[in-house]
Amino acid sequence: MSRNARINALLLLAVAALAVLPLALGLGDHKEEPFAGADAEAETAITEIEPDYEPWFSPLYEPPSGEVESALFALQAALGAGVLAYYFGLRRGRRQGEERALAASEAAKAPGNIPEGD
């Protein structure tokens, strides 16, 4: 197994452990919603500190259920990942194109090469 394959396998194992260990160890069992988002935790903390707190803004769109909210969040994450992947792919393609053009121009300048048309 190559070094890169071992590194990839270890990274995949670490990601799987991060996903499974909280469930296997029972983290969050003492809570009503064990894996609620940070927004819900912040809202709970704010209302404990200041019961009369009024939010400055209200949401533009309130999803009908938690599943729809999760789906929209996943869609947003996928779109962001797609934009980043496109950007990095474009940068890599440009860099490879520049390297090929440089190699081709240096090969044409090498001694013993006869220019076309002569």
Side-chain angles (χ1 to χ4, degrees):
M1 183 185 283
S2 73
R3 182 174 185 263
N4 284 341
R6 276 185 283 188
I7 290 172
N8 287 341
L10 286 173
L11 288 173
L12 185 62
L13 184 65
V15 168
L18 284 173
V20 172
L21 281 177
L23 298 171
L25 296 176
L27 300 176
D29 283 346
H30 62 282
K31 296 182 179 180
E32 185 178 321
E33 291 185 44
F35 300 105
D39 292 345
E41 295 288 331
E43 184 179 346
T44 303
I46 289 170
T47 53
E48 286 176 4
I49 295 169
E50 185 66 44
D52 297 331
Y53 175 76
E54 289 291 324
W56 293 0
F57 301 100
S58 61
L60 296 175
Y61 171 70
E62 189 72 36
S65 69
E67 290 83 11
V68 173
E69 186 175 359
S70 294
L72 290 173
F73 183 76
L75 178 64
Q76 176 186 358
L79 286 172
V83 168
L84 285 175
Y86 174 78
Y87 171 73
F88 287 121
L90 186 66
R91 278 190 46 192
R92 182 174 181 177
R94 285 184 180 169
R95 186 177 62 239
Q96 287 176 345
E98 289 171 357
E99 289 172 358
R100 286 184 190 138
L102 181 62
S105 68
E106 288 187 12
K109 292 179 186 176
N113 284 343
I114 300 172
E116 290 183 20
D118 288 338

